[in-house]
Structures are given as structure tokens and as C-alpha cells.
Amino acid sequence: MPFFEETMESSYVPYLRTHLQQIAASLSTASCAPPGAEEKECRDEAVALGLKMVAVAAILVSGATGVAIPLLGRRWRGRGGGGAAPSSTGGLFVLAKAFAAGVILATGFVHMLDDANEALTDPCLPAVPWRRFPFPGFVAMLAALGTLVVDFVGTHMYEQKHRSEEEQATAANGSSREEIAAALLEDGALAARGDVEGRDGGAHKEDAMHIVGMRAHAAAHRHSHAHGRGSCHGGTSYDSHGHGHGHDEEPSQARHVVVSQVLELGIVSHSVIIGLSLGVSQSPCTIRPLVAALSFHQFFEGFALGGCISEAQFKSSSALLMAIFFAITTPAGITVGAGVSSFYNPNSPRALVVEGILDSMSAGILIYMALVDLIAADFLSKRMRCNPRLQVGSYIALFLGAMAMSSLAIWA
């Protein structure tokens, strides 16, 4: 018996181990088959092409509608305000922005990060290095830190550019302290002092400058007094709709410009991937649920992006260009995917790596933008702290947006 056991152990065990390793290796590469090989019973290229055309139209309309609602609403509010500049303090707009922030946050965490992890841990890829290190989270972290740098540098550059343009405009107008004083004299602001006897023309200018200086000092005193108080009554009052009266710490327009552009970059990169994935599929069973899911997906993302674009107060042509670029990205990806579906394999190692890296980067960008530039900027502001009704409503809208977008992960 010992001899038999030694013979089995020396001859058959190595063979059995080698055979099991070969079976495991064959199973690990099973998912590298061309797209649709696992669903031959549902493969129908003609029906799939028709569904792709429906998807292009539905996603185009839903994305365009989502991004247009905040832009048109902003313009309507601006016209309704008697020609005043649009303001972001409206209660409805604040709630919509909170909902959009939840959508963006869920997009980064639930959709993009999960897709990136699925792609970079696919059995088609070699275990070293892709399954030995958490690349999705690492790339997302680097993307978030890079977004921080871009956010800071971009805002600083825009503010410098805006400041230099203001200085040039002031120099071109040729306004000076003497001209301001002369204007005050002509308007009769110094009429009470203008009849004083024995004064020359220089005295009139000194009186004018004295009044100008008093007004500037009073304005500066009110400004510093408002900032020096931490209570909700430090210079600004808010009604039940979130409208501010007085001074509040609103982000600069330069920051809104940077936020909208970086946000669109993160959304568009993911939209190309999901459009391409749908376009290369030849399975109607796969495409049907994706049409509705991606339509809602694009509507919510467009709504979030449209809110940021409207806050940046771009020119109409620039805002329209950004909206169109977002709306056509996913349909363009579907069209390209349908054209290359005969020879493109989304399960190839190279395609999986590119998809995983891009999804990880998009996740990091959108998570940073949602937490820092959308949620923290509004929920930690004085406007929110001083209006309990607006605060509760914003939190409800934030959670609703996050839950609505997360639920779409069941289908897409």
C-alpha cells in the first residue's frame, strides 16, 4: 500500500494538477470571445440595428431636453427680473442644483467606478499587474487631485484675465477722481458747499473728494461689518424662497466657468464609452433595456451640466455649443460603434484597459466636482445655513438625485 500511494503521488497528482490548471486557464479566457458569442440565441443584426437607430433618437432628445431646461429656465428668470442679471439664489434653482449634484455623485460612484473596476479586473487581462493592484481607485484618486489643480489654476487664470480686462476698460474710459468730483458738482451734490465765499476752484474739488471718500468709507464699513459677524443677520437676509437681500459669499463667475468646463469633460468621456458599448452590441436582448436606461441617464446628466453652464453665464453661442456637444456625444458613440461592430471587440485586452482607465478618470473628476464644487459650495454657504426650509429641501433633492441615478445601475 505505501508503494501504491507513492506511485499515485509521484505520477498522477502532477498530471491532475496540470490538467486542472489548463481547465482554469481556459475558463479565465472564456469571456474574451467576440461580443455576442455568449448570446447567440438573441443575436439579430437587423433588429439590433433598428434598436440602435431608436436609441440614437431617444438619447439625443433626452440629453438635449435635460441640458436645455436649466438654460431656458435661467433665461426666463433673467427676463422676468426686469432685465437684471440672472441670479442663482432662487429657491427652485437651488433645489434643482442639489438634485443635479446627487446625480453627478451617483454617476461617479455607482456607474463609472463600477464599470472601471469591471473592465480592469476582467479575466481577459493578465493578473499582473491588473488584479494585483486596485487601479480603478488609484486612477480615480489621481484624476480627482488633477482636477483640484486644474480647478485652482483655471480659476486663477480666468480671474486674472477678467481683472486685466476691467483695468483696460477703466483706462479707456479715462475716468479719474477729478472727473468724478466734477460730475458730482454738476449734479448739484455739492450745492450746499458751492456757495461758500472766498474759495477757489481747488476748494470745490476738495469738497467733492471729501464726499466721495465719505461714501467709500461708509460702504467699506458696511462690507466689513457684514463679514465680521458670523450670524445669519450679518448683512444678508433670505426669504422663504432662498432669495438673498444684501451681501453673500457667492463664487466668482470665473469659478463657475471652470466648473462647467471640467464637468463636461468628465461627462463626455464617459458618454463616448457607453455609446460605443451599445453600438457594437448585436443583441436586441441587451439593447432594449439600455435604450430607456441611457435616455434617463443622459437626461439627468444633461440637467446637471445645464445648471452649471447657466451659472457660468456664458454667451448664448458658447452655451449652445456646449449643450450641443454634450447632446450628440452618446449618439455619436452609438453610430461609431455600429459602424465598427463587425471587427471591433470590446472584450479585447486593449479595449478593456482603455475603457477602464477612462472610466476611472471620469469617476475621479465627477466625484470631486460633485463633492467640492457642487455640494460643499452650496450646502456650506450662508444662504443655506440661514434658511432651514431651503436646507431641508436641498438635502431631500440631493438624496433623490443620488437615488434616482443609482437605480439606473440595475439596467445600465
Side-chain angles (χ1 to χ4, degrees), residues 22-62:
Q22 292 175 351
I23 294 175
S26 65
L27 290 175
S28 67
T29 58
S31 63
C32 295
E38 298 178 357
E39 299 179 357
K40 284 186 177 180
E41 69 279 359
C42 197
R43 183 184 179 91
D44 191 329
E45 296 184 8
V47 176
L49 182 60
L51 289 174
K52 291 173 190 177
M53 296 175 64
V54 173
V56 168
I59 293 174
L60 179 64
V61 172
S62 61

Side-chain angles (χ1 to χ4, degrees), residues 65-400:
T65 303
V67 74
I69 289 175
L71 295 176
L72 296 177
R74 185 76 173 228
R75 175 169 294 185
W76 178 79
R77 290 185 65 244
R79 291 179 178 178
S87 174
S88 61
T89 54
L92 184 60
F93 188 85
V94 173
L95 296 179
K97 189 178 177 184
F99 181 88
V103 168
I104 295 300
L105 187 64
T107 301
F109 272 119
V110 181
H111 291 266
M112 295 185 182
L113 203 56
D114 180 70
D115 291 346
N117 184 70
E118 183 179 353
L120 294 180
T121 58
D122 193 278
C124 292
L125 299 179
V128 179
W130 300 108
R131 290 193 291 279
R132 292 290 183 87
F133 186 79
F135 279 99
F138 179 71
V139 174
M141 178 191 70
L142 293 181
L145 295 177
T147 306
L148 171 64
V149 176
V150 172
D151 196 2
F152 173 78
V153 175
T155 302
H156 181 67
M157 292 177 60
Y158 271 106
E159 287 178 345
Q160 277 192 332
K161 180 181 178 181
H162 184 66
R163 191 179 301 113
S164 63
E165 290 176 352
E166 285 185 343
E167 291 176 355
Q168 292 176 0
T170 302
N173 291 335
S175 59
S176 62
R177 300 178 70 184
E178 288 79 5
E179 292 175 349
I180 295 175
L184 291 174
L185 285 171
E186 292 177 0
D187 292 340
L190 301 179
R193 296 180 178 265
D195 295 330
V196 178
E197 297 179 356
R199 292 190 178 182
D200 57 7
H204 290 287
K205 292 182 180 181
E206 290 178 1
D207 289 337
M209 295 314 302
H210 177 69
I211 289 182
V212 172
M214 289 177 62
R215 291 180 176 176
H217 176 73
H221 178 72
R222 289 193 300 269
H223 183 274
S224 62
H225 182 66
H227 278 279
R229 299 176 62 182
S231 66
C232 293
H233 303 289
T236 306
S237 60
Y238 297 90
D239 56 28
S240 60
H241 300 288
H243 294 281
H245 308 283
H247 179 77
D248 189 26
E249 64 279 9
E250 289 293 330
S252 64
Q253 182 184 358
R255 185 163 182 80
H256 289 311
V257 170
V258 174
V259 167
S260 61
Q261 292 179 343
V262 176
L263 181 62
E264 179 156 19
L265 175 65
I267 292 176
V268 163
S269 61
H270 179 64
S271 298
V272 172
I273 295 173
I274 61 178
L276 191 63
S277 300
L278 189 150
V280 298
S281 176
Q282 301 292 355
S283 171
C285 299
T286 302
I287 298 175
R288 283 194 186 97
L290 286 179
V291 174
L294 292 181
S295 296
F296 283 105
H297 186 279
Q298 290 300 104
F299 176 82
F300 288 142
E301 282 189 347
F303 188 85
L305 179 62
C308 292
I309 294 176
S310 65
E311 277 197 321
Q313 298 181 20
F314 287 105
K315 295 180 180 179
S316 298
S317 57
S318 300
L320 181 62
L321 184 63
M322 293 181 69
I324 292 176
F325 187 64
F326 163 77
I328 67 173
T329 303
T330 301
I334 296 174
T335 304
V336 173
V340 302
S341 59
S342 59
F343 58 87
Y344 175 77
N345 181 11
N347 295 319
S348 65
R350 180 177 297 178
L352 289 170
V353 170
V354 172
E355 177 183 346
I357 295 297
L358 288 179
D359 273 338
S360 300
M361 293 176 60
S362 299
I365 292 172
L366 295 191
I367 290 171
Y368 171 89
M369 300 298 291
L371 292 175
V372 177
D373 289 328
L374 298 179
I375 297 176
D378 281 348
F379 282 75
L380 300 180
S381 65
K382 181 183 292 185
R383 172 183 58 202
M384 194 74 72
R385 296 195 310 266
C386 298
N387 192 335
R389 287 181 58 187
L390 185 64
Q391 191 175 25
V392 172
S394 297
Y395 273 106
I396 294 175
L398 175 67
F399 280 90
L400 285 178

